[in-house]
Amino acid sequence: MTIKVSQMKCPSCGWPLELGMTECPAGHPVYITTFNSIDDLPLPQISRYARVYRQNQAVAPFDQGINKSLAFCYLKLKLYDQALKAFAKAISDNFDDSETYFYAAIATLKGKKAFLTPRPLINKALEYTNAAIMIEPRGIYYYLQAYIKYDFFARKHLRISPNYQQCLNQARGRTPAGDVQSLFSLLGVELPEALAL
């Protein structure tokens, strides 16, 4: 028996969805699973996706994909506080998704240089990156941590262990240059010369 939830709609075309569908009949994905999948979408379309996800959230509050998808939309729209709330819900939905922690760390910096970010937010961003690394030690996670530790700690002559160079060594050889460019584009800051691959 299939349960129909007629109020839940495809964020792309508005087609009514059944519970558990990952693709609508027109072939559009129901959830945004990676940030890169919406990178080329125009902002008005991202706003429409966010609106539909908020509506779907009211209909299916326990749907794990909605909060992460909504968080990606807010991050793309640079609505950092809303993105953080949605990422927090997505983390509580699925503790084992390392990417959610990674993108939550990016949202925590709120489009500013780490150097200008208050220390409590830096601590929270590092907490998120540490969680992401514990789940899955990807090079790009170490690279984000290296950036935060360089821009906030090294530039202010503060000590932290491991330092940015140790994090950068973990990232080297495991991080494609395209991923690094995407990271700094998403952060909204220039790649510091000290962190160049």
Side-chain angles (χ1 to χ4, degrees), residues 1-6 17-21:
M1 178 173 114
T2 58
I3 300 171
K4 291 208 175 196
V5 181
S6 60
L17 301 172
E18 294 177 17
L19 195 63
M21 291 178 74

Side-chain angles (χ1 to χ4, degrees), residues 10-15 17 22-31 45 49:
C10 172
S12 184
C13 65
W15 190 278
L17 301 172
T22 57
E23 195 174 272
C24 80
H28 302 121
V30 173
Y31 303 110
Q45 189 170 2
Y49 273 53

Side-chain angles (χ1 to χ4, degrees), residues 32-41 46 68-69 71-78 87 99 102-103 106 182-183 185-187:
I32 298 168
T33 56
T34 65
F35 188 82
N36 292 340
S37 64
I38 61 167
D39 205 25
D40 295 332
L41 293 179
I46 300 292
K68 186 175 178 181
S69 298
F72 281 144
C73 291
Y74 287 144
L75 185 59
K76 177 70 174 176
L77 294 168
K78 300 182 181 193
F87 279 124
E99 283 190 355
F102 170 70
Y103 286 107
I106 291 170
S182 294
L183 170 63
S185 172
L186 187 54
L187 287 168

Side-chain angles (χ1 to χ4, degrees), residues 6-188:
S6 60
Q7 296 92 350
M8 204 163 146
K9 297 178 180 172
C10 172
S12 184
C13 65
W15 190 278
L17 301 172
E18 294 177 17
L19 195 63
M21 291 178 74
T22 57
E23 195 174 272
C24 80
H28 302 121
V30 173
Y31 303 110
I32 298 168
T33 56
T34 65
F35 188 82
N36 292 340
S37 64
I38 61 167
D39 205 25
D40 295 332
L41 293 179
L43 294 180
Q45 189 170 2
I46 300 292
S47 293
R48 188 178 82 227
Y49 273 53
R51 182 175 27 80
V52 172
Y53 285 131
R54 282 192 307 271
Q55 292 167 353
N56 288 348
Q57 204 174 32
V59 174
F62 302 109
D63 190 320
Q64 291 187 0
I66 292 175
N67 289 318
K68 186 175 178 181
S69 298
L70 185 59
F72 281 144
C73 291
Y74 287 144
L75 185 59
K76 177 70 174 176
L77 294 168
K78 300 182 181 193
L79 300 171
Y80 301 111
D81 290 332
Q82 291 170 298
L84 282 169
K85 287 177 188 174
F87 279 124
K89 288 179 184 176
I91 287 169
S92 69
D93 290 343
N94 184 359
F95 289 107
D96 296 331
D97 186 357
S98 64
E99 283 190 355
T100 306
Y101 292 98
F102 170 70
Y103 286 107
I106 291 170
T108 302
L109 296 176
K110 299 183 179 189
K112 298 179 187 172
K113 288 185 169 206
F115 185 85
L116 301 173
T117 303
R119 180 67 185 259
L121 292 179
I122 291 295
N123 292 343
K124 191 68 176 170
L126 289 175
E127 184 181 310
Y128 283 135
T129 59
N130 284 330
I133 289 167
M134 282 193 289
I135 295 167
E136 187 178 1
R138 290 188 194 171
I140 196 68
Y141 301 165
Y142 283 107
Y143 214 96
L144 175 57
Q145 207 171 56
Y147 163 69
I148 294 168
K149 290 180 177 185
Y150 168 76
D151 206 50
F152 188 85
F153 293 94
R155 287 187 59 204
K156 292 182 179 188
H157 305 287
L158 300 171
R159 290 185 189 183
I160 189 166
S161 180
N163 63 27
Y164 85 90
Q165 292 156 329
Q166 292 165 315
C167 293
L168 192 58
N169 287 339
Q170 290 288 330
R172 284 201 170 115
R174 304 193 315 182
T175 310
D179 287 358
V180 173
Q181 291 170 350
S182 294
L183 170 63
F184 283 91
S185 172
L186 187 54
L187 287 168

